Structures are given as C-alpha cells and as structure tokens.
Amino acid sequence: MKAKLGHPQEPPAQATSKERERDGVERKLQVCRRCRQPKYPGGATNKQINHKKSECSDGVSPSLRSIPYPLPLGIIKEKGLKLDTFRQQCSAIENKRTQKQSLSAEEETLLAYYVENVVEDQDGVVFWPIGDLTVSSHCVIVHIGQKACVKL
C-alpha cells in the first residue's frame, strides 16, 4: 500500500483490514478513528509516512473525533483553535462563494462545520462554540446556554 505525504484532498479509500507482518502473522491494520488513515503503513523502517501520534494530516488531534476531516491547515493545531486563521479562512470562503469560485474539499468541510455550529445572539453577533478546543488567553469566552463560545 502506498501512502500519500502531505495533506490529502479527501479521506483515503478503506485499506484492507489485515496486513502481513514480517513474521508471517496477519495483524489487524490500525486506522486513525478521526481521519481513517492507516497509522503505520511505513512500519519501523519507513517512519516518515506513518500517522503522527499527536495530529492528523490537517493538524487536528485524533482525539477530537467530533471535528470533521479534512479541515484547512492551520485552523486547529492539535487541540488549539487558531482564531485569526479561522476568521481568515471563513472570509476567504465567503469571497470565493461571492465570486462563484469552487471550494476545495477542506473548505467545503469547514463551511459545513461552520454552518452546523455557529451561534448568533439576538443582536446579530456571531459566536463559535469551542467545545473541547483550547483558545489563546486573550480570547474572551462567553457562555451562550450551555456552550462556551468565542466571538467571531
């Protein structure tokens, strides 16, 4: 099986569920629960193509399974929301939609995730629920209902 380096455009096709080890014994192929990438396609000899333990190829921690895959690079790094990058990406997506340009798979995923989770108060101010994500200390966290949110 050949693994892609870098940031894939879409999740890979499902790999075979078993692979043969050097000793001839078949073992279940380990797959990331978030991005569905094989964890160790390179084994011990070709480690550079193995899935990172701390993040998927889009930079998000594999433990954040509620975050869709793939997102544009830089929005979430491990478990931290990069609010400025998030705002820039949302603005870029809005500009592309206004100009009727096509969106990448990552941008489509971010747009769907945004539409599904954005919170607007009665004054029209837009907030983003942070859930299990961390934000920088200069961000003001507002509670809307049961959700901790940051102002966009």
Side-chain angles (χ1 to χ4, degrees), residues 68 71 93 97 103 105-118 128:
L71 288 180
I93 289 170
R97 291 183 71 209
L103 301 175
E106 291 88 353
E107 291 168 331
E108 290 281 354
T109 302
L110 178 60
L111 179 61
Y113 184 50
Y114 177 87
V115 169
E116 186 178 306
N117 290 288
V118 72
W128 183 256

Side-chain angles (χ1 to χ4, degrees), residues 28-44:
K28 186 175 179 183
L29 183 66
Q30 294 182 31
V31 177
C32 176
R33 289 184 178 179
R34 182 175 171 271
C35 67
R36 309 304 304 159
Q37 294 275 358
K39 286 188 175 183
Y40 309 108

Side-chain angles (χ1 to χ4, degrees), residues 32-55:
C32 176
R33 289 184 178 179
R34 182 175 171 271
C35 67
R36 309 304 304 159
Q37 294 275 358
K39 286 188 175 183
Y40 309 108
T45 58
N46 203 3
K47 290 182 180 181
Q48 70 271 17
I49 65 170
N50 290 343
H51 188 289
K52 291 182 181 176
K53 187 174 185 176
S54 62
E55 61 188 55

